Amino acid sequence: MKQNTIKMSCIALAISSALAAQYAVAEDENSTGEKQATLERIEVTARKSIESLQNVPVAVTSVSADDLSENGISVMTEIQQFSPNTTLQSSRGTNSTLTAFIRGVGQEDPLWGYEPGVGIYIDDVYIARPQGAVLDILDVQRIEVLRGPQGTLYGKNTIGGAVKYVTKKMSGDAELNLNATVGSYNQQDYKIAGQLPLIDDKLYIGGAFASLNRDGYGDFITSAIPGQDTENYNKDVMAGRVSLEYTPTDDLFMRLNYDKTTDESNSKGGYRMLPSVLTDAPVPDSKYDSYTSMPTWNKVETEGWGLTIEYGLNDDWTLKSVTSSRESYSPTNIDFDNTSLRILDVPAIYDDEQFSQEFQANYDGDNLKLVSGLYYFKGDSCGMFDSILYEYYKAYGGLTREVRGCNNSESYAAYAQGTYDITDKLSMTAGLRYTRETKDATVYNGIMFTTLYPETGWIPGYVRDEDAINASIPKVLDDEETWSKLNPRLGLEYQLTDDMMLFTSYSQGFKSGTFNPRATGPEPAVDPEVVDSYELGMKSEWFDRLRVNATAFYLDHKDRQFVTVLPGENASDLNQRLGNIGKSTATGLELEVEYAATESLNLFATLGLIDASFEEVISYDSDGNRIDISDTYTITNTPDTTANVGFSYNIDTDIGSFVANGNYYYRSDYDLAVVNNLLSQDGYGLLNLGLNWYSNDGHWHAGLHWKNVTNEEYLVGNYAFVTPDGNGGYIPGLGGDNTLIGYYGDPETISLSVGYNF
């Protein structure tokens, strides 16, 4: 690793050995009757059964509902601060589209057909698309982050890891919880959650609803459509879920649930880092200000239902069925050039449906624990976008390249993973998953010398002529492919003492093969990506007050799928070919330390180190000779170092209990584009502080949270359509303008939440 990374890791390791826990502290008494602080048991379902965190030989971080509340965490992306070597960020065009990377593995292009590298799960249901995957914290029990391939239990598209959003089960009592939050930028969030017994100890109904609103961090300085909302980086979300739980006998549990989220926040405008050569608008003063020639409205709508049935067959065997259907619809406006002219505008629609069915048979005996199952998934992923290059071709009345189509998949899998106790101290874990997947794709791709939008009325007065468009936009791809894959896992666990477990493992994951959704002609599908992962870890507790968990890992990532841009006759060609042309490796270390310093003071620290790089990227020169161009490729969204240190301090008073907390989260520098990267984010840190209050009667609670105290400005996404000229300047790219655009994370904010529990 780089020398500065090693120096920093040594310092962080020394600090972290004296620090620890974000988790609540349980009170105990010693022989003299004095209260002492001890670590609380943390339960996770990382291996699809309830286990203690310290008994799971997997690198996993679990953040409970109480920790989420006390740290003022309102969206899932903030979880990245507590999980080493993890990136969870809102994507470029909307608030609800997720960019997820774990250990250098992920997928940054959210176009239909591209599969994620980090799986997102809601109550064991896989969320296939990144649109709508930035989940707001609502009625959640905990969030788990599983790092490394989870190919045997969670299947395809978890080559980087998995993020599990676990909702609360009902307690059986009548409950009603109200919460209101006000804050910076006119933030106004309102949440209500509750449950009601319909038949005592048998049948319950419950649900939660949230209205989440905030003004923009910036504005669209110019807008081509009069009267539209010009807020940039605003928030307008409605979310709700309802559940019906039935326990007719002690052995049978059923839950039927439905959820829906509608995000009507404006489309996010990017920050122009270079002056436009086609307009006279200067670079904005604020990183959150932008220009646009597009409508500012945007929508991400997701909904789904699920049915879970669990049956205890006997003392050892449990049967489980998880059925789910989900769909999402997202019309969106992305102004790539961010000017008031139609230089490079991309209106788009994403439309997805999925159905999944999983059957599990789980065994928990004296020396053997087994999780096994059958899994079926069917997903239809469709969309369209129009690349409008009016200004570059205005002499011809403008030009638009329209791309539309579907990538549909049908997948079957069978899996089993078991842990066998060889001796009282030594255990072996072995797992295997077989997957067979068929994917069919259609792509329509062509140009018209006019301005096209996806639907009539997209802008005032626009009428879409479907007959003329269909005659000019040909079908260029119609194909089908089938893949099958057998993914293993093998591990050994040794319980050195009652409080220390050592483990090592080999696991494999794969990311689905696919067709190029931007194809300009017939081309074969790309094969799946494969990651082989090797881990060596330790989970330990010391004196009932100090928890130290560490994992060293090595990843070998083969057959990486990349888009190669092929030369065309002019700037409108946009020819791209998808292929398996890359190989990368990553070596790293993850450390999580928790310490109950006193009865009142809790400390924690996490550290992630990674050295990730491309080892090979195959291309061809003008003579057709095979060449390696890996020096022009970089692993994006992957800092060499991520670290987090913080505290929680409890104070009991006559007017209630207070919890003061804070954390400092650090990310070293990272790149934002895979090929010929032009934008990198320097290392930065986020300081967060909070003060929580709980009434003595248990009904009232309040929280004051100050995020990004030092108002750091940091990049989370970009668009780059320029070429360096070698003299410190840039040559205009697609659309004929200097399009170098940055998207930024949240600025400094302060919020106050007040809640009441009936």
Side-chain angles (χ1 to χ4, degrees), residues 22-24 62-73 82 661:
Q22 76 211 47
Y23 302 100
S62 178
V63 185
S64 70
D66 289 341
D67 298 319
L68 294 168
S69 176
E70 288 188 358
N71 287 279
I73 296 176
F82 299 93
N661 57 24

mmCIF file of all heavy atoms in Angstrom, residues 22-24 62-73 82 661:
data_model
loop_
_atom_site.group_PDB
_atom_site.id
_atom_site.type_symbol
_atom_site.label_atom_id
_atom_site.label_comp_id
_atom_site.label_asym_id
_atom_site.label_seq_id
_atom_site.Cartn_x
_atom_site.Cartn_y
_atom_site.Cartn_z
ATOM 1 N N GLN A 22 -20.439 2.173 19.359
ATOM 2 C CA GLN A 22 -21.619 2.965 19.089
ATOM 3 C C GLN A 22 -22.845 2.338 19.705
ATOM 4 O O GLN A 22 -23.919 2.897 19.657
ATOM 5 C CB GLN A 22 -21.817 3.054 17.569
ATOM 6 C CG GLN A 22 -22.363 1.795 16.986
ATOM 7 C CD GLN A 22 -21.895 1.575 15.578
ATOM 8 O OE1 GLN A 22 -20.725 1.705 15.276
ATOM 9 N NE2 GLN A 22 -22.811 1.228 14.717
ATOM 10 N N TYR A 23 -22.713 1.153 20.242
ATOM 11 C CA TYR A 23 -23.876 0.425 20.713
ATOM 12 C C TYR A 23 -24.170 0.702 22.172
ATOM 13 O O TYR A 23 -23.310 1.066 22.949
ATOM 14 C CB TYR A 23 -23.660 -1.084 20.519
ATOM 15 C CG TYR A 23 -23.408 -1.394 19.078
ATOM 16 C CD1 TYR A 23 -22.112 -1.593 18.618
ATOM 17 C CD2 TYR A 23 -24.454 -1.438 18.167
ATOM 18 C CE1 TYR A 23 -21.869 -1.851 17.294
ATOM 19 C CE2 TYR A 23 -24.209 -1.694 16.838
ATOM 20 C CZ TYR A 23 -22.907 -1.899 16.412
ATOM 21 O OH TYR A 23 -22.682 -2.140 15.095
ATOM 22 N N ALA A 24 -25.419 0.515 22.566
ATOM 23 C CA ALA A 24 -25.852 0.792 23.919
ATOM 24 C C ALA A 24 -25.111 -0.095 24.904
ATOM 25 O O ALA A 24 -24.707 -1.199 24.602
ATOM 26 C CB ALA A 24 -27.347 0.561 24.054
ATOM 27 N N SER A 62 -23.601 -3.970 11.968
ATOM 28 C CA SER A 62 -25.033 -3.859 12.257
ATOM 29 C C SER A 62 -25.281 -2.574 13.032
ATOM 30 O O SER A 62 -24.629 -2.305 14.037
ATOM 31 C CB SER A 62 -25.502 -5.066 13.075
ATOM 32 O OG SER A 62 -26.868 -4.940 13.402
ATOM 33 N N VAL A 63 -26.216 -1.777 12.530
ATOM 34 C CA VAL A 63 -26.584 -0.517 13.177
ATOM 35 C C VAL A 63 -28.058 -0.604 13.558
ATOM 36 O O VAL A 63 -28.926 -0.763 12.701
ATOM 37 C CB VAL A 63 -26.333 0.694 12.258
ATOM 38 C CG1 VAL A 63 -26.617 1.992 13.002
ATOM 39 C CG2 VAL A 63 -24.900 0.690 11.751
ATOM 40 N N SER A 64 -28.339 -0.522 14.852
ATOM 41 C CA SER A 64 -29.696 -0.730 15.356
ATOM 42 C C SER A 64 -30.554 0.522 15.204
ATOM 43 O O SER A 64 -30.051 1.616 14.915
ATOM 44 C CB SER A 64 -29.649 -1.129 16.828
ATOM 45 O OG SER A 64 -29.238 -0.024 17.619
ATOM 46 N N ALA A 65 -31.861 0.345 15.446
ATOM 47 C CA ALA A 65 -32.794 1.469 15.357
ATOM 48 C C ALA A 65 -32.436 2.554 16.363
ATOM 49 O O ALA A 65 -32.522 3.755 16.061
ATOM 50 C CB ALA A 65 -34.218 0.979 15.582
ATOM 51 N N ASP A 66 -32.042 2.161 17.592
ATOM 52 C CA ASP A 66 -31.666 3.155 18.599
ATOM 53 C C ASP A 66 -30.444 3.944 18.160
ATOM 54 O O ASP A 66 -30.378 5.169 18.345
ATOM 55 C CB ASP A 66 -31.390 2.464 19.933
ATOM 56 C CG ASP A 66 -32.658 1.935 20.580
ATOM 57 O OD1 ASP A 66 -33.756 2.400 20.211
ATOM 58 O OD2 ASP A 66 -32.544 1.048 21.446
ATOM 59 N N ASP A 67 -29.457 3.255 17.573
ATOM 60 C CA ASP A 67 -28.255 3.948 17.110
ATOM 61 C C ASP A 67 -28.568 4.887 15.948
ATOM 62 O O ASP A 67 -28.010 5.979 15.855
ATOM 63 C CB ASP A 67 -27.196 2.943 16.687
ATOM 64 C CG ASP A 67 -26.759 2.061 17.838
ATOM 65 O OD1 ASP A 67 -26.596 2.579 18.945
ATOM 66 O OD2 ASP A 67 -26.598 0.841 17.633
ATOM 67 N N LEU A 68 -29.450 4.443 15.054
ATOM 68 C CA LEU A 68 -29.857 5.299 13.947
ATOM 69 C C LEU A 68 -30.500 6.575 14.469
ATOM 70 O O LEU A 68 -30.204 7.680 14.003
ATOM 71 C CB LEU A 68 -30.836 4.554 13.043
ATOM 72 C CG LEU A 68 -30.286 3.343 12.279
ATOM 73 C CD1 LEU A 68 -31.425 2.551 11.661
ATOM 74 C CD2 LEU A 68 -29.303 3.778 11.215
ATOM 75 N N SER A 69 -31.392 6.439 15.453
ATOM 76 C CA SER A 69 -32.093 7.590 16.005
ATOM 77 C C SER A 69 -31.137 8.521 16.740
ATOM 78 O O SER A 69 -31.170 9.743 16.544
ATOM 79 C CB SER A 69 -33.204 7.118 16.940
ATOM 80 O OG SER A 69 -33.850 8.202 17.555
ATOM 81 N N GLU A 70 -30.293 7.951 17.597
ATOM 82 C CA GLU A 70 -29.409 8.795 18.405
ATOM 83 C C GLU A 70 -28.372 9.521 17.564
ATOM 84 O O GLU A 70 -27.896 10.592 17.947
ATOM 85 C CB GLU A 70 -28.727 7.960 19.477
ATOM 86 C CG GLU A 70 -29.678 7.527 20.592
ATOM 87 C CD GLU A 70 -28.965 6.870 21.751
ATOM 88 O OE1 GLU A 70 -27.722 6.706 21.675
ATOM 89 O OE2 GLU A 70 -29.644 6.494 22.724
ATOM 90 N N ASN A 71 -27.998 8.946 16.402
ATOM 91 C CA ASN A 71 -27.040 9.611 15.523
ATOM 92 C C ASN A 71 -27.722 10.464 14.460
ATOM 93 O O ASN A 71 -27.042 11.028 13.601
ATOM 94 C CB ASN A 71 -26.140 8.573 14.849
ATOM 95 C CG ASN A 71 -25.126 7.968 15.798
ATOM 96 O OD1 ASN A 71 -24.084 8.566 16.070
ATOM 97 N ND2 ASN A 71 -25.425 6.795 16.327
ATOM 98 N N GLY A 72 -29.056 10.563 14.518
ATOM 99 C CA GLY A 72 -29.774 11.409 13.571
ATOM 100 C C GLY A 72 -29.661 10.935 12.137
ATOM 101 O O GLY A 72 -29.720 11.740 11.210
ATOM 102 N N ILE A 73 -29.525 9.620 11.938
ATOM 103 C CA ILE A 73 -29.389 9.063 10.588
ATOM 104 C C ILE A 73 -30.776 8.937 9.967
ATOM 105 O O ILE A 73 -31.635 8.222 10.485
ATOM 106 C CB ILE A 73 -28.681 7.697 10.629
ATOM 107 C CG1 ILE A 73 -27.244 7.884 11.135
ATOM 108 C CG2 ILE A 73 -28.679 7.044 9.263
ATOM 109 C CD1 ILE A 73 -26.484 6.588 11.316
ATOM 110 N N PHE A 82 -20.260 4.050 9.190
ATOM 111 C CA PHE A 82 -20.039 3.071 10.241
ATOM 112 C C PHE A 82 -19.538 1.730 9.714
ATOM 113 O O PHE A 82 -19.295 0.815 10.499
ATOM 114 C CB PHE A 82 -21.333 2.874 11.034
ATOM 115 C CG PHE A 82 -21.808 4.134 11.690
ATOM 116 C CD1 PHE A 82 -22.717 4.958 11.051
ATOM 117 C CD2 PHE A 82 -21.315 4.518 12.927
ATOM 118 C CE1 PHE A 82 -23.132 6.148 11.644
ATOM 119 C CE2 PHE A 82 -21.722 5.691 13.519
ATOM 120 C CZ PHE A 82 -22.628 6.515 12.881
ATOM 121 N N ASN A 661 -23.612 12.731 21.774
ATOM 122 C CA ASN A 661 -22.772 11.879 20.936
ATOM 123 C C ASN A 661 -22.154 12.690 19.808
ATOM 124 O O ASN A 661 -22.530 13.836 19.542
ATOM 125 C CB ASN A 661 -23.572 10.690 20.384
ATOM 126 C CG ASN A 661 -24.795 11.120 19.590
ATOM 127 O OD1 ASN A 661 -24.850 12.227 19.061
ATOM 128 N ND2 ASN A 661 -25.793 10.251 19.509
#
